[in-house]
Amino acid sequence: GAGVSQSPSNKVTEKGKDVELRCDPISGHTALYWYRQSLGQGLEFLIYFQGNSAPDKSGLPSDRFSAERTGGSVSTLTIQRTQQEDSAVYLCASRPPGQGPRQPQHFGDGTRLSIL
Amino acid sequence: AQKITQTQPGMFVQEKEAVTLDCTYDTSDPSYGLFWYKQPSSGEMIFLIYQGSYDQQNATEGRYSLNFQKARKSANLVISASQLGDSAMYFCAMRDDAGGTSYGKLTFGQGTILTVHP
């Protein structure tokens, strides 16, 4: 079956522009997570969705960052007025319901975002 | 707050030898899960192994085993019979399962780059 799909795989944009990153989780996975991987900060949690609601958005670094999920499936992470420090790989992961604690999060290949 | 520490920025091992990657963690929660992921240069995160805080035995998955020492708060990954394809970044991660939920976020260590020499 298909894994977690993220698009675009690479994005280069100018400082100050808005960007949208997309995540298509594994079919049937109700939990969806966004993480950011950067050289200076390592892997950081951003936000978690259960269905269409976000019980934990504690990792969003500023109000320039927002995310939504529609239909319990696709999620979009939006960064407004991008800054150079937003340059990172943005990883999405999903997890199925009711599988117990041993079930890991399954990751996509990420979107590499570069802010010029 | 949870914290994961991987003290080895880089490790080298000869092909076919075993290698141990260190991971220590800090949490005040009695219920948690520990994970190891592999990230090759291509970038994907590959799940390797899981250990629950209440598991009585160390987890094993093929050539991977987890040396879980709860009192010392360590969860070292042991890779036996290393292969060239094992060269990658390895991340230790923890999930807080307090409240009976296992949907919490993962907190990651800084990672260890493993290089396997022929």
Side-chain angles (χ1 to χ4, degrees):
Chain A
V4 177
S5 178
Q6 293 188 245
S7 61
S9 54
N10 285 282
K11 177 73 176 178
V12 181
T13 193
E14 294 180 346
K15 176 183 171 181
K17 301 286 190 184
D18 297 352
V19 294
E20 284 189 352
L21 312 180
R22 176 187 168 106
C23 173
D24 206 336
I26 295 171
S27 179
H29 283 202
T30 56
L32 186 149
Y33 307 80
W34 283 98
Y35 294 87
R36 177 169 73 172
Q37 185 174 19
S38 58
L39 281 175
Q41 302 299 321
L43 263 158
E44 306 171 283
F45 165 78
L46 296 177
I47 188 169
Y48 152 55
F49 286 93
Q50 184 63 252
N52 291 338
S53 62
D56 188 354
K57 53 180 80 171
S58 62
L60 294 178
S62 75
D63 59 7
R64 296 187 296 105
F65 288 73
S66 63
E68 65 174 12
R69 190 178 184 195
T70 56
S73 182
V74 172
S75 176
T76 303
L77 177 69
T78 301
I79 309 174
Q80 295 179 311
R81 305 181 302 282
T82 51
Q83 303 293 314
Q84 288 188 331
E85 61 263 29
D86 300 334
S87 295
V89 176
Y90 289 81
L91 291 163
C92 178
S94 70
R95 190 170 180 269
Q99 296 293 316
R102 300 185 176 280
Q103 183 63 231
Q105 295 176 21
H106 301 269
F107 283 81
D109 290 345
T111 293
R112 182 173 299 275
L113 177 64
S114 299
I115 310 298
L116 302 179
Chain B
Q2 299 180 331
K3 186 175 181 181
I4 297 281
T5 303
Q6 295 179 253
T7 57
Q8 306 154 318
M11 288 286 286
F12 295 88
V13 66
Q14 204 74 24
E15 193 178 10
K16 301 179 185 176
E17 298 292 315
V19 63
T20 297
L21 306 184
D22 293 343
C23 173
T24 58
Y25 59 92
D26 190 18
T27 181
S28 56
D29 296 311
S31 181
Y32 52 88
L34 295 159
F35 298 81
W36 278 91
Y37 282 86
K38 171 184 177 181
Q39 187 178 44
S41 56
S42 51
E44 74 268 35
M45 294 281 283
I46 302 167
F47 165 70
L48 296 178
I49 197 167
Y50 164 87
Q51 180 86 43
S53 59
Y54 295 116
D55 290 346
Q56 295 297 310
Q57 293 188 333
N58 288 342
T60 60
E61 289 286 348
R63 294 187 298 110
Y64 304 108
S65 60
L66 203 152
N67 184 1
F68 181 45
Q69 298 187 43
K70 192 171 182 178
R72 296 179 61 185
K73 294 188 175 179
S74 74
N76 299 339
L77 177 70
V78 181
I79 305 174
S80 62
S82 297
Q83 302 172 356
L84 296 179
D86 294 335
S87 293
M89 175 80 89
Y90 288 80
F91 288 99
C92 180
M94 179 167 60
R95 185 191 65 214
D96 174 8
D97 292 344
T101 176
S102 57
Y103 285 101
K105 65 185 179 187
L106 294 176
T107 300
F108 287 87
Q110 291 297 312
T112 296
I113 299 175
L114 176 66
T115 303
V116 181
H117 289 303

